[in-house]
Structures are given as C-alpha cells and as structure tokens.
Amino acid sequence: MDIIALKTKIIALFKQGLTPIELTQSIIVSGLISTIPILGVSTFLLTALSLKRKLNLPIMIAQSYIMWPIQVVMIVPFINIGEFIFSIPKTNHSAQEIITSFQNSFFTTLSHLSFELLCGFGGWLLTAVPFSIVLYLMSIFILKLFLKAKI
C-alpha cells in the first residue's frame, strides 16, 4: 500500500462523513471529557457519548490519549476549586499520589478519595464545562463565517 492511499484511509477514518460542525463537537466534547478529574472513566464516557450522539470515536479516543497529561495535571487544581467553591478545608494530595492510588486499585481509590474526587468533579463542572460551551459557541461562529466565505 502506498503512502497516499494510507493517508487517504486515515483521513477518511477521522472524517467519517461528518460535517465540520460535527467534527468540532467531537473535538470539544472529547477535550471536555478527557479532562474529567477521575482517572479511568474518560474512555468509557467518550465511547458512550460517541455512540449516542454519533460523534467521531477515533478522533475522540486519540485526543483523549493526547490530553492524558493535562488530565493528570488538572486533578489537583479541580479538587482545589471544588474545595474552595464548597467551602471545605483543603486536602494536600498530590497528583502523583492520586495516580499511584488509581494504579493500585481503582475502586479502593474511589472509596478513599471519594470526597476529594467529588470536589474535583464539582470544580470540573463549574470551570471546564462553561469553558467548553463558550469554546464550542465560538468555534461554531468561526466555522459559519469560514464556510460562508468559502461559498
């Protein structure tokens, strides 16, 4: 198989006949879900959302893997935001501590750090979700301008 045919197949896999707006939805939803502060759930959520909303799963999974370092870095800030919003005393867990705990036992970590992860989830909901909505609306506006100018 030559390089051009391989490139064409890869591009077709990522496009999957979707419109630019549907591709934008896939990218933004994937970015949002990929930063959720609970390790190990993003792939499941992305797959479920992709099947339900008919989004581009290959793009979403690829972006999820690319964004894993951002997810790890954002766990503690999301927990801190959640603790601040809910007026809860700060805990001093490091990202490495949380990752190691998840690697040892997913369900034990959920049990021991459930309150911190709930605060992190709250921080994620109150920051990442509104940010993604604004980003999506701006992207749609820019896409419509671009597509209109192309015609």
Side-chain angles (χ1 to χ4, degrees):
M1 179 180 289
D2 65 344
I3 298 293
I4 295 172
L6 180 62
K7 180 181 172 186
T8 305
K9 286 186 180 195
I10 291 172
I11 290 171
L13 175 68
F14 281 106
K15 283 187 176 180
Q16 287 185 342
L18 299 177
T19 67
I21 291 175
E22 291 168 330
L23 285 172
T24 302
Q25 287 174 346
S26 296
I27 291 167
I28 291 175
V29 166
S30 177
L32 174 65
I33 299 299
S34 296
T35 59
I36 198 165
I38 302 170
L39 297 176
V41 300
S42 59
T43 303
F44 172 74
L45 290 173
L46 289 173
T47 303
L49 279 169
S50 170
L51 295 173
K52 174 85 173 142
R53 304 282 300 152
K54 294 186 171 115
L55 299 174
N56 189 312
L57 186 58
I59 282 180
M60 295 172 82
I61 297 296
Q63 183 175 354
S64 175
Y65 285 124
I66 291 168
M67 290 194 63
W68 189 82
I70 294 170
Q71 180 185 24
V72 170
V73 167
M74 292 304 294
I75 290 173
V76 173
F78 283 140
I79 290 172
N80 292 338
I81 291 167
E83 290 171 340
F84 174 76
I85 289 170
F86 300 122
S87 299
I88 296 167
K90 250 186 171 191
T91 57
N92 293 321
H93 295 292
S94 69
Q96 186 58 44
E97 197 178 345
I98 295 169
I99 292 167
T100 303
S101 183
F102 269 116
Q103 288 173 338
N104 291 335
S105 175
F106 179 81
F107 293 107
T108 303
T109 302
L110 288 180
S111 171
H112 290 301
L113 297 177
S114 61
F115 190 69
E116 288 85 355
L117 293 173
L118 184 61
C119 286
F121 186 74
W124 173 80
L125 275 175
L126 295 171
T127 56
V129 172
F131 175 78
S132 294
I133 291 169
V134 169
L135 183 62
Y136 174 72
L137 293 173
M138 287 176 20
S139 299
I140 295 302
F141 177 75
I142 291 168
L143 267 174
K144 285 183 178 178
L145 284 176
F146 178 74
L147 292 175
K148 192 181 286 185
K150 226 176 164 182
I151 295 175

